[in-house]
Every structure is written in C-alpha cells, then in structure tokens.
Amino acid sequence: MKKIFALILMVGAFSCAQKEEVIDYTKMSDEERLKAATEIAQSIIMVDGHVDLPYRMKVGGFTLQREILDVSVRTPDGNFDFPRAKEGGLDAPFMSIYIPAGNQKTPGASKALADSLIRMTERLASTFPDKFAMAYSPADIEANFSKGLISLPMGMENGAGIEDDLANVAYFFQRGIRYITLTHGTDNLIGDASYDTTGTHGGLSPFGEEVVKEMNRVGIMVDLSHVSDNTFRDALAITKVPVIASHSSVRKFTPGFERNMSDELIQAMAKNGGVMMINFGGSFIDSAYAAGSAKVREHLVNYLAENNLSRTDSAFKAYAEAYAAANNPFPTVQRVADHFDHVKNLVGVDYIGLGSDFDGVGDSLPTGLKDVSMFPNLIAELLKRGYTKEDIEKICYKNIFRVWKAVEDYAANQ
C-alpha cells in the first residue's frame, strides 16, 4: 500500500511539474519575450514556404568565386544567407525555382530555366556541405536539422515548367521538386493567374485538371498561391490531398487584391486540410503601403527625368530611400501578425505557416522583418498576442509537415 501511495505522490508531483512548465509569454517584458522567441526559433524546426534565393543567385551570377555571391557567409544585400538564417532559426527555406511568365512565350524555355535553377540549388548544397543539404521529405529535414544543416527543399514557382507534357510532372518530382505553384503572373496552359484579367480558361484548363491529378499521384504538393479564385476553387474540387498556398496573405487587409486569399478561400483551404503560408511583402500586408508605393514610384520616375539621373546613381538611391521612408512608411511586424491572427480566428492555428517571399519582394519588407535573421521578432509578437509554444511549432513546421506527409502517403498508395 505504501508503494502505491508513493507512486501516486510521484505521479501527482510530475503532473504539477508539467503544469508549472506552461509559460505565460504575455506577462513577459518585450526584452524577455524576444529572448524566449529566439530560443524557440533556434530550438525547433522552422520551414519557410518560399525564398527566392535561386533566382537571386542567377541574377547575381552565382559561381564558386566568393566575390560574385556566396550565401555561405553574410552578404551585404538580399534577405537570405547562412549566418542570418542561423540567427533567425530558419532551417528549411523552400528554394523557389521561379519561372518568369515571359518564358512561357518560348517553347522549352520554362523547363530549361527550371533545370538550370535546380542545378544551381544542388550546387549550393554540394559546394558547402557543412552548411547546406538538399531535402526531399520532412524526414530529410529532420535528419539535416539534427546535424545543424540548413535544408534546401525545392518548389517550382509557375507550372509553366511542365510545358505541355504531363510526363514532366513526374520528371520534376525526380529532380526534387516538392510543390508546384500552378501559375504565376499570367495565365498559362494549366490555368488562370490572379494577376491576369484575361480569364483564358475560366479557372483550371482541362490540361490543368490532369496536372493536379498527376501531382497527387507522384507526390508533389499543389500550391495555389498566384492562381485566380476560379483556379483555386477548381483545384480544390479535384485534389485528393491537402494543398498549400506557399506565399499568400489575407485579402481582408488588401481589398481587391486577388493575389491574396479571401475568407471564403481560407475556409475552403482549411476544410481541405491545407496550409496557408503568410507572405511578408509590404504590398501583401497592407493596402495603404501598396497605394503609397504607386505614388512613390511615380514621383521617383519624374525625379529621375528632371535631374537626368539613372536608377544606379548613388545620389538617386539615397534620395529614393529617404523619400520612400518619409512618404510611405513600411508596414510593421505587428501588421504581419494581424494576418496570422485573422486566419487563426477564422479557421484555427492548424492551417497557418510561414511563406516570407524573402529575396522575392524587393525592399518592401516590413520594419522588423527585413531578412531571415528577424523571424524571432514575429514569433515574439505572436507570443505577446497569446500564441503558445505549441502554436508556434505548428506554424513553423508541424502544419506543413502534416500536409507534406499526407501527400507522400497518398502517392505511396497509388
């Protein structure tokens, strides 16, 4: 009897200890909360659904020579490199294999560019194996994380890379692509894009329907960022597995901006079991910034002409930076958190992820989220608003892993 009583006491003590471990981050000072957020970021896996490093490397002329572009060390520009990723706790940025819509005009050009950017990403991992590693599954990311390596999973931004050949879906799976954004800036053979008002297909094309089915079959996640609302609905009606939006934000804060997701689409995605990965770009976050940007651009174009300057002149760069800051202040990390709150309140925290669009949205990034080192600022803001550590884990990796594994499991049973 004494042994049983002692065991009951031990269980009770353990239960109390467990309860005591629950931390109320809302009662911390800002400094304490940021420290806690940094510790969380650096101790758990963090996945970002969309980082445009491959195209940045292409534009920068990536070679093995450090004087060109070496993101294994701190770089003076851009939003991503190894040291800053480690500081911010980013472990698995999806490398965007970005296909500009202009490539669609030349048969074969989209697939060729995709192959080139995939090779470039693989070269980054092979050149710096002590820092980066390729990743083709959640299991790969977990293994790389245990070794302190930054994983480089890949997603193809713009299904134009498939060209007009359904066999290329399986081809790109073999090349390592694990999601495909169905469209980009203009309608393509798969379906209609949010930025294009043409409405070529009225949603998914018949070919696009087959593409979605084939992506399900081989195990590539269907990414519905960039698609029109009709394409979004059509894809949800066809897919047999959860989908993602790798880098989209909430339309409520940007009325009329179809590139962001309406409440209807957010709810439909949640019903599908998918995950919406929030974009940090200023125009995605705040309509006031988007409107202000247009006015600033118009002023700066006139300023260039009036003063006979070019965009590369140092005098113009200094003026442009100062003018933009004074006339169109950047959104803040708090505004980004508003998007997370909206989705959480609408459908729950199980359907939210990170999709920064770092290296893809220029200098529009919010104050407090200018590069990958600053993820703890966002986490701290979410903790301040009552998000738990478990919530943060879901946002950082558990939600996207759930979707990814569901896609893997479905494909394995085909």
Side-chain angles (χ1 to χ4, degrees):
M1 178 64 74
K2 287 183 179 179
K3 289 183 179 180
I4 294 174
F5 183 68
L7 181 61
I8 291 173
L9 287 178
M10 288 175 63
V11 171
F14 178 76
S15 177
C16 290
Q18 288 290 90
K19 290 180 180 178
E20 289 173 2
E21 289 177 5
V22 177
I23 301 171
D24 186 350
Y25 296 100
T26 65
K27 294 182 178 179
M28 292 181 171
S29 68
D30 288 345
E31 183 178 357
E32 291 170 334
R33 194 162 37 243
L34 180 58
K35 181 180 179 182
T38 302
E39 290 173 352
I40 291 173
Q42 294 179 346
S43 64
I44 67 173
I45 293 173
M46 185 188 295
V47 179
D48 186 330
H50 196 88
V51 174
D52 274 294
L53 177 65
Y55 204 76
R56 175 185 161 207
M57 291 193 299
K58 173 182 170 57
V59 172
F62 175 68
T63 69
L64 297 185
Q65 283 71 44
R66 290 178 180 268
E67 66 269 24
I68 301 297
L69 179 61
D70 178 2
V71 293
S72 73
V73 297
R74 193 176 301 273
T75 55
D77 53 15
N79 311 130
F80 174 89
D81 55 46
F82 181 83
R84 286 184 286 175
K86 280 296 184 180
E87 289 169 14
L90 178 59
D91 304 292
F94 264 91
M95 296 286 98
S96 171
I97 305 304
Y98 165 54
I99 312 300
N103 282 54
Q104 296 167 197
K105 299 175 182 178
T106 306
S110 295
K111 181 174 184 287
L113 177 58
D115 278 328
S116 173
L117 295 178
I118 290 169
R119 288 193 298 270
M120 191 178 296
T121 303
E122 292 171 336
R123 187 177 178 187
L124 178 62
S126 63
T127 303
F128 306 107
D130 59 328
K131 294 180 172 67
F132 302 107
M134 301 304 295
Y136 308 108
S137 66
D140 287 345
I141 292 174
E142 290 170 341
N144 292 337
F145 177 74
S146 69
K147 300 173 186 175
L149 301 174
I150 290 180
S151 292
L152 301 177
M154 295 183 292
M156 186 164 70
E157 186 180 21
N158 192 353
I162 297 169
E163 302 286 347
D164 59 354
D165 186 353
L166 197 63
N168 280 329
V169 176
Y171 169 81
F172 278 116
F173 178 84
Q174 294 300 322
R175 296 291 286 111
I177 294 296
R178 290 301 178 265
Y179 76 67
I180 295 176
T181 317
L182 299 185
T183 68
H184 192 255
T186 64
D187 300 350
N188 61 19
L189 296 177
I190 293 171
D192 298 342
S194 61
Y195 286 130
D196 195 333
T197 59
T198 308
T200 303
H201 311 286
L204 276 181
S205 69
F207 177 68
E209 294 177 1
E210 294 306 311
V211 167
V212 170
K213 293 175 184 177
E214 182 68 359
M215 288 171 66
N216 285 177
R217 187 187 72 80
V218 304
I220 295 179
M221 290 180 282
V222 176
D223 178 20
L224 299 182
S225 288
H226 278 289
V227 303
S228 71
D229 287 3
N230 285 336
T231 302
F232 199 111
R233 297 185 190 100
D234 287 350
L236 282 182
I238 291 171
T239 184
K240 301 298 184 183
V241 291
V243 301
I244 67 170
S246 68
H247 59 306
S248 294
S249 300
V250 176
R251 197 178 300 173
K252 176 189 173 183
F253 300 101
T254 57
F257 186 39
E258 192 174 354
R259 171 65 178 82
N260 275 348
M261 288 172 58
S262 68
D263 285 2
E264 173 209 341
L265 298 183
I266 294 169
Q267 290 169 321
M269 175 172 275
K271 185 177 180 180
N272 159 268
V275 60
M276 175 184 180
M277 310 179 85
I278 303 295
N279 190 313
F280 299 168
S283 297
F284 291 79
I285 295 302
D286 197 320
S287 59
Y289 177 80
S293 294
K295 293 180 179 179
V296 167
R297 282 195 299 272
E298 181 180 0
H299 172 82
L300 293 177
V301 167
N302 292 332
Y303 182 85
L304 282 170
E306 291 166 3
N307 293 275
N308 196 29
L309 293 171
S310 73
R311 292 185 179 277
T312 58
D313 289 332
S314 58
F316 171 73
K317 288 182 178 179
Y319 177 83
E321 182 177 353
Y323 184 86
N327 291 276
N328 190 31
F330 292 105
T332 64
V333 66
Q334 288 77 22
R335 192 54 158 171
V336 178
D338 289 344
H339 287 250
F340 284 80
D341 275 353
H342 183 81
V343 181
K344 179 172 180 278
N345 294 335
L346 187 65
V347 297
V349 75
D350 293 328
Y351 309 101
I352 318 173
L354 303 168
S356 67
D357 212 351
F358 279 137
D359 278 335
V361 288
D363 59 0
S364 74
L365 289 158
T367 302
L369 277 174
K370 294 295 187 184
D371 63 42
V372 293
S373 71
M374 299 184 183
F375 275 111
N377 291 337
L378 174 59
I379 293 174
E381 180 61 28
L382 295 177
L383 294 175
K384 185 176 183 178
R385 298 183 183 206
Y387 289 66
T388 65
K389 183 181 179 183
E390 182 183 4
D391 291 336
I392 301 303
E393 289 174 341
K394 289 181 177 181
I395 290 168
C396 285
Y397 77 100
K398 288 185 176 179
N399 291 341
I400 184 61
F401 273 18
R402 168 180 53 78
V403 172
W404 196 348
K405 288 176 181 177
V407 173
E408 286 183 327
D409 292 345
Y410 181 85
N413 290 305
Q414 295 309 295

